[in-house]
Amino acid sequence: MNAEVVAIRHVHFEDLGNFEQVLGERGRRVRYVDVGASRIEALDALKPALLVVLGGPVSVYDDRYPTNASIATLVERRIDAGLPILGICLGAQFIAQALGARVYPAASKELGWSPLTLTDAGRASPLRHLDGAATSMLHWHGDTFDLPGGAIHLASTPACRNQAFAWGQHVLALQCHPEIRADRFEPWLIGHAGEIAGMPGADARQLRDDTQRHGSALEAAAHRMFGEWLDSVGL
């Protein structure tokens, strides 16, 4: 296993954000593999030091997108090999699916800032830095998933019970977006303008203001959380 981190990216502005800074501090080089522009099926699931599957606007169960099958296979192989893997939003849904859980449309879309409520296990994990008493959290998803068998439930919100889980020592799935950087948030508003306009109660100005209000605290907390998780998987 080499020092490279491979990040599967669906939308260009939904990148590793502040997590990339943490990796850079540890001498880890990030290589982005863009879905639709790269051959996902050609990737070696076992080669990277860390595999990350990032967010995106598609659903894991939508067979109109053939790249989904390639990503699912990659995630399954990585998990089966016992190697570190992180899923964010859509990536967390791929992990849940690979572990046999159902992924499906949520009762309501969760879009905006609200704090996490951690379980006892979450407070005993690196996610303790993301506790709602310390920082709020960005959410941006319309799908959800059941908790996989054998998974450790880490966090929830009123709108989404399964916000985060761990499986074994090497798998972390985050439905939420702790990786967000406030200074790179405007492309989210532009790229998802149609989604924002189509959701009652959502407003780009409010999202921008909330991100400026909460972004710095989340970035600091997420930096600590991700660094501690990397330590736990030997990276």
Side-chain angles (χ1 to χ4, degrees), residues 19 50-53 75 79 84-99 101 116 125 127 130 145-148 151-156 160-178 225 229:
F19 286 179
L50 171 65
L51 177 68
V52 184
V53 183
V75 170
I79 292 173
I85 180 170
L86 170 67
I88 299 175
C89 198
L90 177 61
Q93 295 161 19
F94 271 110
I95 289 175
Q97 180 190 63
L99 293 170
L116 294 179
S125 79
L127 262 72
L130 304 181
F145 48 80
D146 294 333
L147 193 67
I152 300 172
H153 185 214
L154 301 175
S156 64
C160 179
R161 179 180 184 275
N162 295 321
Q163 283 286 352
F165 69 84
W167 192 86
Q169 297 296 315
H170 63 295
V171 178
L172 180 62
L174 304 170
Q175 179 62 74
C176 50
H177 286 282
M225 181 280 292
W229 182 75

Side-chain angles (χ1 to χ4, degrees), residues 158-230:
C160 179
R161 179 180 184 275
N162 295 321
Q163 283 286 352
F165 69 84
W167 192 86
Q169 297 296 315
H170 63 295
V171 178
L172 180 62
L174 304 170
Q175 179 62 74
C176 50
H177 286 282
E179 84 286 3
I180 193 71
R181 283 181 55 174
D183 63 347
R184 294 185 184 176
F185 188 62
E186 197 65 22
W188 286 63
L189 300 177
I190 296 168
H192 293 312
E195 184 179 11
I196 295 169
M199 181 177 175
D203 180 82
R205 288 165 295 191
Q206 187 65 56
L207 287 164
R208 184 184 296 112
D209 290 347
D210 288 346
T211 300
Q212 289 303 313
R213 184 179 304 111
H214 300 300
S216 294
L218 177 57
E219 288 175 36
H223 190 285
R224 293 190 292 271
M225 181 280 292
F226 188 49
E228 193 170 304
W229 182 75
L230 290 173

